[in-house]
Amino acid sequence: CSPQGVGMAGSRPPQFLLVFDFDETIVDENSDDSVVGGRALPEPLRQTPRGGSYNEHMQRVLTFLGEQGVRPADFRAVYENIPLSPGMAELFQFLSKHQELFELVLISDANVFGIEAKLRAAGLRSLFRKIFSNPASFDRRGFLTLGPYHSHKCLECPANMCKRKILGEYLAERARQDVEFQRVFYVGDGANDFCPAAGTLRAADVAFPRKGYPMHRLIQERQEKQPGAFQAAVVPWESAVEVARYLQELLRRKC
């Protein structure tokens, strides 16, 4: 069902915004762990810093890997081979058939190089209008270097990235371009996905937390402590096929 009528595709802005996380959402692993692989890290790099910056910790890990001889082609191969989460291929097949209705963006605390490599390998890059992630590039030595995405004042989020700020700014930018979405859908898994879901989604919107992961638990806690405070509908998923089914049903009801 297309709201445009035949031959008018692209003449109207998309009705829905679909926001994706990357690690343990689109892909079934944490890509930072995948990059380290089975390598033994030196003691100071083994522990993720408590209270310190995870982004800075990963900068040090990547430098160490570069010193160990891990090269650009090696990094690319690792990212390309990370498996998609269950049902993701089916969800993206569905979305590729309805590109006129859904605008896709990706907001991730991983890095742009790894995300782009994986999406291209999976044939998914062209589906995303925008990717928001930490900048990453190779220096003269061939080491993968990482930077913070931005700075912000949110007390809940890591210093280098508040996804709520990114999503809020994106929605404001699209509104200035006369694109107002009927609904926003957010597919994620982590604690840093809770902030935008709780702070930006409204009653018409839907949060799709991965079942049993931190985002899901935080939503449940909020619903128990403050009934009604979490505004969006909540649809947990084990396979992204469940997300596709929900969206399919939504389109069926609109027709």
Side-chain angles (χ1 to χ4, degrees), residues 21 53 55 106-112 115 131-135 147-167 186 191-193 195-196:
D21 170 50
S53 163
N55 184 263
L106 195 157
I107 310 178
S108 165
D109 199 7
N111 69 76
V112 169
I115 292 168
I131 289 171
F132 300 94
S133 191
N134 299 303
Y149 178 76
H150 62 183
S151 59
H152 59 83
K153 295 188 174 69
C154 175
L155 301 175
E156 306 295 314
C157 289
N160 63 299
M161 177 172 286
C162 171
K163 294 186 176 188
R164 177 174 57 177
K165 183 179 186 205
I166 294 170
L167 180 54
Y186 194 108
N192 63 355
D193 296 311
C195 182

Side-chain angles (χ1 to χ4, degrees), residues 5 21 23 25-26 29 34 44 83 86 94 97 116 132 142 148 150 153-154 158 167 170 180 185-186 246 253:
D21 170 50
D23 288 322
T25 298
I26 291 179
E29 297 173 4
S34 309
F94 166 79
K97 287 184 193 137
E116 296 255 359
F132 300 94
H150 62 183
K153 295 188 174 69
C154 175
L167 180 54
Y170 185 76
E180 297 268 10
F185 303 108
Y186 194 108
Y246 184 97
R253 285 200 304 271

Side-chain angles (χ1 to χ4, degrees), residues 8 10 66 68 73 101 106 116 128 151 153 159 161 173-174 178 196 214 217-218 221-222 233:
M8 287 178 66
Q68 296 302 299
L101 294 174
L106 195 157
E116 296 255 359
F128 286 88
S151 59
K153 295 188 174 69
M161 177 172 286
E173 177 199 318
R174 295 302 274 144
D178 292 325
R217 289 197 294 273
L218 288 165
E221 284 168 20
R222 175 67 58 90

Side-chain angles (χ1 to χ4, degrees), residues 21-27 29-32 82 108-110 189:
D21 170 50
F22 182 69
D23 288 322
E24 298 185 297
T25 298
I26 291 179
V27 292
E29 297 173 4
N30 179 324
S31 60
D32 290 337
I82 300 172
S108 165
D109 199 7
D189 76 290

Side-chain angles (χ1 to χ4, degrees), residues 5 12 20 27 35-36 45 49 58 61 83-84 89 91 130 141 158 172 177 185 190 196-197 204 232 253:
R12 283 194 203 168
F20 281 91
V27 292
V35 162
V36 173
L45 292 179
M58 271 316 290
V61 169
L84 293 174
L91 173 56
K130 208 97 191 250
R141 301 166 296 177
Q177 295 160 348
F185 303 108
R253 285 200 304 271

Side-chain angles (χ1 to χ4, degrees), residues 185-206:
F185 303 108
Y186 194 108
V187 186
D189 76 290
N192 63 355
D193 296 311
F194 175 72
C195 182
T200 309
L201 301 186
R202 306 144 309 169
D205 303 330
V206 183

Side-chain angles (χ1 to χ4, degrees), residues 32-48:
D32 290 337
D33 295 340
S34 309
V35 162
V36 173
R39 278 183 202 83
L41 293 175
E43 192 53 49
L45 292 179
R46 267 183 223 163
Q47 298 302 319
T48 308

